[in-house]
C-alpha cells in the first residue's frame, strides 16, 4: 500500500470517527434535554400536589376544625369557598414517559387525586348554594342571627327535615372527603418523590455527575 493510499484511508477513518463522535455528543445532548424536561414535569406535578394539599388543609383548619366536634357543624360551617380552591390540572402528557417505566401507576393516581379535589370543590359549592339561598333566608325569618343564642332542636324542627338532612349530608361528605384527600395527597407526594429521586439518580449514571434535583415538600400536620 503506497503512501497516498495510506493517507486517504487514514483521512476517511478520521472523518468517520469524527462523525460518529459528533453523533454521540448530539445524541447525549438530546437525551439530557429530554431528561431535563421530564424532571421539570415531575417537579410541576409535585408543586401541584402541594397546592392541592395546602388548599384543602387550610380550608380544614379555618372552616371545619373550629367547630368539628360541635353538633351544629352543619349549621355553623361557612358557606363561602376558599379563594385557594383554584383549578388544578396535572400535565399527564408531560408525565406520560412514566408509562414506559415501573412507575406507570402514578399516572392514574394523579388523575384520581385531581378528580377527588374536584369532588370536594363541587360539594362545597353545592352546600354554599343551599346555605345562601335556603338556610340564611329561613334563619332570618326565624330571627336567628350571629351571636344570638338558640335551641338547636327547635331550629332543626323549624327548618324542616329536608333542608336539615341535606345540610348534614353535604357537611359530612365535605369533612370526610377533605380528611381523606389531605392524607392521600400527602402519601402520593411522599411516594412519588421517593420514586422519582431514585429514577433520576439511576439516569445520572449515564450523564456524568450532573444532578437532577427533585422538589421535596414538607407537610405540616393538621389539627394534631
Amino acid at each position: 500500500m503506497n503512501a497516498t493510499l495510506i493517507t486517504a484511508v487514514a483521512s476517511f477513518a478520521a472523518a468517520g470517527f469524527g462523525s460518529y463522535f459528533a453523533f454521540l455528543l448530539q445524541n447525549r445532548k438530546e437525551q439530557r434535554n429530554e431528561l431535563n424536561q421530564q424532571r421539570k414535569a415531575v417537579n410541576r406535578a409535585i408543586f401541584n400536589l402541594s397546592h392541592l394539599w395546602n388548599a384543602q388543609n387550610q380550608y380544614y383548619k379555618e372552616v371545619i376544625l373550629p367547630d368539628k366536634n360541635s353538633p351544629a357543624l352543619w349549621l355553623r360551617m361557612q358557606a363561602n369557598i376558599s379563594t385557594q380552591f383554584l383549578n388544578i390540572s396535572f400535565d399527564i402528557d408531560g408525565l406520560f414517559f412514566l408509562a414506559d417505566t415501573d412507575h406507570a401507576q402514578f399516572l392514574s393516581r394523579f388523575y384520581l387525586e385531581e378528580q377527588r379535589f374536584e369532588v370536594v370543590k363541587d360539594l362545597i359549592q353545592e352546600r354554599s348554594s343551599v346555605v345562601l339561598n335556603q338556610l340564611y333566608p329561613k334563619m332570618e325569618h326565624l330571627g336567628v342571627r350571629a351571636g344570638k343564642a338558640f335551641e338547636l332542636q327547635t331550629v332543626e324542627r323549624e327548618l324542616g327535615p329536608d333542608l336539615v338532612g341535606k345540610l348534614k349530608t353535604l357537611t359530612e361528605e365535605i369533612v370526610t372527603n377533605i380528611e381523606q384527600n389531605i392524607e392521600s395527597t400527602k402519601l402520593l407526594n411522599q411516594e412519588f418523590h421517593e420514586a422519582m429521586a431514585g429514577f433520576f439518580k439511576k439516569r445520572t449514571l449515564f450523564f456524568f455527575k450532573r444532578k437532577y434535583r427533585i422538589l421535596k415538600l414538607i407537610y405540616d400536620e393538621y389539627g394534631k
Side-chain angles (χ1 to χ4, degrees):
M1 184 179 292
N2 58 42
T4 302
L5 182 57
I6 292 175
T7 301
V9 171
S11 298
F12 280 121
F17 179 77
S19 297
Y20 180 68
F21 187 69
F23 168 78
L24 288 180
L25 288 177
Q26 180 62 28
N27 187 56
R28 177 66 61 84
K29 181 180 179 181
E30 292 175 356
Q31 288 179 325
R32 292 184 71 165
N33 288 338
E34 179 182 2
L35 193 60
N36 197 48
Q37 290 303 312
Q38 292 173 354
R39 180 189 63 84
K40 289 180 179 179
V42 165
N43 282 337
R44 282 194 297 269
I46 293 175
F47 181 80
N48 281 342
L49 279 177
S50 74
H51 188 84
L52 289 187
W53 188 89
N54 285 323
Q56 294 178 97
N57 186 62
Q58 195 68 22
Y59 182 89
Y60 185 87
K61 290 194 298 184
E62 294 180 355
V63 179
I64 296 175
L65 197 56
D67 296 303
K68 186 176 185 298
N69 297 321
S70 169
L73 177 63
W74 61 274
L75 186 63
R76 297 170 63 90
M77 205 165 83
Q78 296 176 19
N80 61 302
I81 296 180
S82 170
T83 56
Q84 293 177 316
F85 276 63
L86 305 176
N87 292 324
I88 297 295
S89 180
F90 290 99
D91 180 15
I92 299 299
D93 288 341
L95 294 170
F96 211 72
F97 70 92
L98 295 172
D100 297 323
T101 72
D102 295 333
H103 309 299
Q105 48 109 357
F106 284 113
L107 293 174
S108 59
R109 290 182 66 182
F110 276 118
Y111 176 78
L112 178 60
E113 209 65 30
E114 184 179 322
Q115 295 307 304
R116 290 164 65 103
F117 184 65
E118 291 300 318
V119 167
V120 163
K121 288 170 60 178
D122 289 344
L123 286 171
I124 295 176
Q125 180 66 60
E126 183 179 357
R127 183 184 177 279
S128 296
S129 177
V130 172
V131 168
L132 294 173
N133 299 319
Q134 298 181 49
L135 176 63
Y136 283 175
K138 286 195 173 185
M139 293 287 282
E140 184 176 356
H141 177 74
L142 293 174
V144 178
R145 296 180 175 81
K148 183 177 180 180
F150 59 88
E151 209 277 320
L152 183 59
Q153 291 182 341
T154 301
V155 171
E156 286 191 39
R157 184 174 61 253
E158 293 295 328
L159 291 176
D162 289 342
L163 178 56
V164 172
K166 183 184 295 184
L167 285 170
K168 286 184 176 180
T169 298
L170 287 170
T171 302
E172 182 179 351
E173 289 180 351
I174 290 170
V175 173
T176 299
N177 277 274
I178 282 189
E179 287 182 338
Q180 292 176 349
N181 288 3
I182 287 173
E183 294 302 324
S184 67
T185 302
K186 180 179 177 180
L187 179 62
L188 176 54
N189 170 71
Q190 292 172 339
E191 294 182 353
F192 185 62
H193 178 273
E194 181 179 351
M196 292 300 96
F199 173 81
F200 284 100
K201 184 176 181 180
K202 290 180 180 178
R203 298 295 298 273
T204 56
L205 296 177
F206 301 97
F207 300 102
F208 306 107
K209 295 183 179 180
R210 180 173 181 177
K211 293 184 178 180
Y212 291 83
R213 298 187 182 280
I214 306 301
L215 284 175
K216 186 170 184 179
L217 303 169
I218 300 176
Y219 294 99
D220 294 328
E221 294 294 332
Y222 66 94
K224 292 184 178 180

